[in-house]
């Protein structure tokens, strides 16, 4: 396409050429001062209008060449045609772009339709997998139940076969244990490798009465007295703690909580070392019984329960809560070390007991025994310290009347016992 500047250059070139041809004596073509000034304007009909001021020179005028030639008119016309073609191309491009947008929209609709179809297929597969997983879980549960039954039956048969040998070789209950004391003189106890390791062994051997029995918590260890609960939820429970009347002060030292204190027929703490020896191999569950001052009862059962050794502060491992009492133990106290007041632990000092404290507690079953339930502390006494199960009463200032903690193997099955 020819621009306006190019057209003017062509016109001026033609003028110069014509002047040169018609008047060889004329001043050189490049000297524009001889022909004055001019201006031009392109008209709509493809022609141009030129206005020139021509000075007189030696009686002659500059050549009359200030008109558009046929060639320039042709190129101006071609330029208009090119402009029209460009406009038509722009319109065509706009139509093509609109059609492209429509194609993209239809493509997205098709993709969404395909995704819906694929999602439907995936949903069907997921549902099938869920059904399969549910059936598999049921089968696994049945298999686990059968395995537990078989294990219990094997243990029961073993106990029945050499029950008489066990009874004769087990350490007799020392006189101090018959009086239900946790710490009889050392000379009254004898070592034994064949005594029962927990109360479930006594249950499998036919014992059905709750009371004090002898067990050996660890291989080659010392026979100790424990209280066996043979009535609650099938029996076979080894009781590790009981509170019932406030007859025993539970504000004790680390050493006392380690070895145990109290009376097996009344209030007592079995001892962290014994609890560790009982649960160190795993496989024990825990039951906590609660009673308030209006006679209401609740309980919490934990599928997993164990504690670590003394070097690890008898750290607690407890999980899998169920029962009528909302959990106030595992979710807050799990994996916490045991602490007592004299060790400088602030929570133990405020709560006046030994427990797995954690800023400070949601349960405090070894706290101070208050009668009547709700209790008030003096101004100089910091924080709650009663026998608390927070999720039951929604307060730290209600102290329960009776609590007990007991453990037994998860594989225990009362129906396979003689």
């Amino acid at each position: 396409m020819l621009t306006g500047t190019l057209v003017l250059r062509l016109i001026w070139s033609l003028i110069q050429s014509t002047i040169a041809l018609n008047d060889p004596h004329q001043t050189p073509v490049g000297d524009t001062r001889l022909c004055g000034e001019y201006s031009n304007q392109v008209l709509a009909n493809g022609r141009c209008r030129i206005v020139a001021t021509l000075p007189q020179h030696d009686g002659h005028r500059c050549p009359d060449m200030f008109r558009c030639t046929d060639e320039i008119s042709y190129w101006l016309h071609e330029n208009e045609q090119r402009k029209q073609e460009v406009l038509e191309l722009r319109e065509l491009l706009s139509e093509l772009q609109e059609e492209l947008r429509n194609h993209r929209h239809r493509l997205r609709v098709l993709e969404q339709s395909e995704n819906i179809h694929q999602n439907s297929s995936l949903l069907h597969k997921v549902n099938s997998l869920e059904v399969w997983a549910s059936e598999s879980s049921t089968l696994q549960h049945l298999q686990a139940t059968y395995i537990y039954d078989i294990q219990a039956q094997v243990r029961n048969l073993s106990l029945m076969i050499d029950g008489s040998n066990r009874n004769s070789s087990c350490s007799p209950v020392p006189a101090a244990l018959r009086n239900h004391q946790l710490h009889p003189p050392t000379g009254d106890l004898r070592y034994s490798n064949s005594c029962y390791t927990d109360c479930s062994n006594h249950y499998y051997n036919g014992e059905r009465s709750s009371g004090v029995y002898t067990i050996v918590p660890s291989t080659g260890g010392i026979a100790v007295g424990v209280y066996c609960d043979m009535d609650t939820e099938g029996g076979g429970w080894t009781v590790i703690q009981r509170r019932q009347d406030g007859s025993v002060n539970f504000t004790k030292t680390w050493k006392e909580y380690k070895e145990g204190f109290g009376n097996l027929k009344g209030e007592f703490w079995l001892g962290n070392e014994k609890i560790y020896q009982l649960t160190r191999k795993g496989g024990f569950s825990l039951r906590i019984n609660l009673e308030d001052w209006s006679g209401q009862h609740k309980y919490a059962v934990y599928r997993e329960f164990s504690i670590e050794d003394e070097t690890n502060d008898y750290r607690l491992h407890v999980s899998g809560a169920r029962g009528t009492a909302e959990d106030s133990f595992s979710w807050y106290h799990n994996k916490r070390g045991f602490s007592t007041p004299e060790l400088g632990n602030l929570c133990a000092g405020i709560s006046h007991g030994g427990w797995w404290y954690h800023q400070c507690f949601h349960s405090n079953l070894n706290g101070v025994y208050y009668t009547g339930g709700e209790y008030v502390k003096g101004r100089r006494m910091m924080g709650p310290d009663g026998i608390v199960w927070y999720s039951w009463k929604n307060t730290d200032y209600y102290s329960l009347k009776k609590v007990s903690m007991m453990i037994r193997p998860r594989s225990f099955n009362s129906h396979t016992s003689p």
Side-chain angles (χ1 to χ4, degrees), residues 281-332:
K281 293 183 179 180
F284 274 82
S285 59
L286 168 71
R287 180 184 172 104
I288 298 177
N289 297 319
L290 310 169
E291 180 182 344
D292 67 7
W293 289 88
S294 63
Q296 296 185 65
H297 295 81
K298 288 195 175 186
Y299 72 92
V301 175
Y302 297 89
R303 190 173 186 274
E304 301 279 350
F305 174 79
S306 65
I307 63 173
E308 298 181 27
D309 59 13
E310 184 178 15
T311 59
N312 291 302
D313 297 329
Y314 297 116
R315 184 179 293 113
L316 173 67
H317 294 273
V318 59
S319 61
R322 67 174 177 86
T324 58
E326 185 178 344
D327 181 27
S328 280
F329 188 39
S330 66
W331 79 271
Y332 193 75

Side-chain angles (χ1 to χ4, degrees), residues 217-219 275-284 305-307:
S218 60
T219 303
I275 298 172
Y276 161 68
Q277 293 296 339
L278 280 165
T279 63
R280 64 190 179 91
K281 293 183 179 180
F284 274 82
F305 174 79
S306 65
I307 63 173

Side-chain angles (χ1 to χ4, degrees), residues 133-161:
S134 177
E135 293 175 352
S136 176
S137 176
T138 302
L139 289 174
Q140 290 178 356
H141 178 71
L142 290 174
Q143 290 174 351
T145 301
Y146 293 148
I147 290 172
Y148 288 147
D149 288 345
I150 292 171
Q151 289 176 340
Q153 291 175 15
V154 169
R155 179 185 293 182
N156 183 41
L157 289 173
S158 298
L159 291 173
M160 292 176 65
I161 290 172

Side-chain angles (χ1 to χ4, degrees), residues 259-278:
E259 297 176 355
F261 55 85
N263 188 302
L264 291 173
K265 278 287 190 177
E267 295 193 334
F268 69 92
W269 179 257
L270 183 61
N272 286 336
E273 189 60 31
K274 299 184 188 73
I275 298 172
Y276 161 68
Q277 293 296 339
L278 280 165

Side-chain angles (χ1 to χ4, degrees), residues 1 55 68 78 85 143 147 161 175 225 233 266 276 288 387 418:
M1 297 181 186
C68 295
E78 286 293 315
E85 290 176 358
Q143 290 174 351
I147 290 172
I161 290 172
E233 196 181 359
Y276 161 68
I288 298 177
I387 303 174

